Amino acid sequence: MSLHVDVAVTRGRFTLDVTFDVPAGSVLAVLGPNGSGKSTLLQCLAGLLVPDSAAVTLDGRTLTRAPGVQVPVHDRGIGLLAQDPLLLPHLTAVENVAFGPRSQGVRPSRARAQAREWLRRADAAELTGRRPAQLSGGQAQRVAIARALAGGPRALLLDEPLSALDVDAAPAIRGLLRRVLRRTQSAHSGESGDGEVVPDGERCAVLVTHDPLDVLALADDVVVLDAGRIAERGPAKEVLAAPRTAFTARIAGLNLVPGVAAADGLHAPNGRFVAGVPSGDCLPGEPAVAVFAPGAVAVHPAGAPHTGSPRNVVDARVASLEPHGAVIRLRTAGDGGAETGIAADLTPASVAELGLEPGSAVRLEVKAASVAVHPAA
Amino acid sequence: MPWVLWIPAGLALALVVLPVAGLLVRTDYARLPALLTSDAALSALRLSLVTALASTIACVVLGVPLAVVLARARGRGVRLVRAVVLLPLVLPPVVGGLALLFLLGRNGFLGYLLDVVAGVSVPFTTTAVVIAQTFVAMPFLVVSLEGALRSGGQRYELVAATLGARPWTVFRRVTVPLLLPALGSGAVLSFARALGEFGATITFAGSLEGVTRTLPLEVYAQAQADVDSAVALALLLIVVAVVVIAVARPKAFDR
């Protein structure tokens, strides 16, 4: 029970060539900048594009084997949640959600009941009778999520599902997606709702995104796409915290400190408190991760007086200094709660001015406002 | 907006309004009721409404699938087909009527076949009127629908397919409902065009009272015999046209 993908497509001078597996019940993130082949990959999976050579199988059923086999879009059992909610404008919210079950032959009254149940699960029960034109971006995306799940897909494709939302709506929708994608079979086996076609624990998902935060919040594993090829793959947290390639480090390199969420930050296991801003769906006492970009870390000489606003101050020792494009990425020896050390970006001029070299003692400072605290996947 | 534009704009407006006003001035209002309720006038009006309605239905039934095929099909041939479909828009209607006559007339290859196989002769019948009107009116519908289909894109159809909807379900529950506004305005335009059709009708269907003589043909026939009667009938056509605009009001006229 899983999604197996092996796709090669050439379009003009661009070549996409990827292979990966998504185990049942897990979420794979495909992370990459624009033009890395994410959209092409999604089109191949959805059945819109016939690859030059490919094998796509879902739960043992061949969907695409190019050349030759190409199961049409409506028969693949692959749902799609796009950046734009794409609710059918002539139908109400509940009719939109009932569209999938209706198309698959469920009777109207039963399809409506299922649709109501899915809307309730997406916290959108009060939107039932509304038309898409009367919904805000976040509300429309909630309905779209309910609709995608009501279609009973064996696999769900998520195409930048949060990038069209404004900053206020995104955390709540991210939280909703976390809930519907990541809840395990055992946790909710008692609540086998009316609309259940594929048990949550068996559905797999592919999330395409350019935002490392989405990966962190939603995915188990990640593949990083660079110009149509997989630059790196592995468990999401490991890849994001300790990128092995410069490419991944540039687009996804983040400092991650796991711990337990607090009202205004996070308690790391080594007793250190990281001040930060919890996201909307982050509850105090729950497992969480503090996230901050290497560019947000200020580097001072050891013993420098602590002045100004930054509330997170760590004394550490430089482990490595590597060029990353225009900046130098400094990595400290494992400390400060992050097992892999903390990464900080500096200009070559600052490195020279501070006289930094491996082994130098430094004091790192991070403003609390630059630290986001997210629920741990 | 430069004020100079007011001058040509005013001229353009005068070009549309003044002839109609001239017609209104010229009308013999005392005889108007009698002229409009004459047998010839009533039968022409009835025939016009019936045939224009029939051709509008034919335009919708044939034009919607044609527009969807043109907008969605891929391939090099589609471009050529689109050009052919637009032909009646630029072709003089008389030429269209002549072409229909050579296809469906007794000596045309399809007309000959129909005559021999089914004993049916199309030209100079009410059916011929409907065919001629459909021929000239359908491009209006196809063009407005295809524009709507192209600007709307295929995203909704795709999402419906990922929800498990088969192509026919997608067409019925997504494509057609999304097309309805454009279909409304396209159908009104087609109806108006069919109602005013003259050249193709007179060439292909002739001008037989009660059978093929629609209002425009009746106006033309009366213009040579009784000018007052022609003016009265023209007035009637204007009223019908105004009613069409007021009732259905295509989007194109609104903006």
Side-chain angles (χ1 to χ4, degrees), chain A residues 103-114:
Chain A
S103 301
Q104 293 160 31
V106 177
R107 291 171 170 282
S109 58
R110 191 172 155 69
R112 275 183 94 85
Q114 291 181 359

Side-chain angles (χ1 to χ4, degrees), chain A residues 48 73-74 78-80 84 86-91 99-100 102-104 147-148, chain B residues 74 155-167 169-170 173-174 177-178:
Chain A
L48 299 169
V73 178
H74 68 264
I78 292 188
L80 178 68
D84 189 333
L86 291 175
L87 298 179
L88 299 169
H90 58 289
L91 300 179
F99 187 94
R102 284 286 291 126
S103 301
Q104 293 160 31
R147 179 176 67 173
Chain B
R74 275 172 261 177
R155 304 181 309 160
Y156 290 113
E157 277 126 326
L158 163 64
V159 148
T162 64
L163 294 170
R166 297 169 171 282
T169 310
V170 173
R173 292 203 59 201
V174 180
L178 289 179

Side-chain angles (χ1 to χ4, degrees), chain A residues 32-57:
Chain A
N34 289 334
S36 58
K38 292 175 296 178
S39 310
T40 308
L41 174 63
L42 271 195
Q43 288 180 333
C44 290
L45 295 183
L48 299 169
L49 186 74
V50 183
D52 302 323
S53 80
V56 178
T57 57

Side-chain angles (χ1 to χ4, degrees), chain B residues 107-202:
Chain B
N107 298 322
F109 83 94
L110 201 55
Y112 178 77
L113 211 65
L114 282 173
D115 198 11
V116 170
V117 175
V120 175
S121 173
V122 178
F124 310 109
T125 63
T126 307
T127 308
V129 177
V130 174
I131 292 175
Q133 290 177 348
T134 307
F135 176 81
V136 295
M138 192 149 64
F140 286 85
L141 187 93
V142 173
V143 166
S144 63
L145 288 188
E146 205 201 332
L149 281 164
R150 281 179 180 281
S151 64
Q154 266 179 286
R155 304 181 309 160
Y156 290 113
E157 277 126 326
L158 163 64
V159 148
T162 64
L163 294 170
R166 297 169 171 282
W168 183 252
T169 310
V170 173
F171 177 72
R172 199 170 47 83
R173 292 203 59 201
V174 180
T175 312
V176 171
L178 289 179
L179 263 188
L180 279 184
L183 188 61
S185 60
V188 169
L189 277 177
S190 302
F191 180 82
R193 181 66 188 87
L195 199 65
E197 171 43 33
F198 176 83
T201 312
I202 203 164

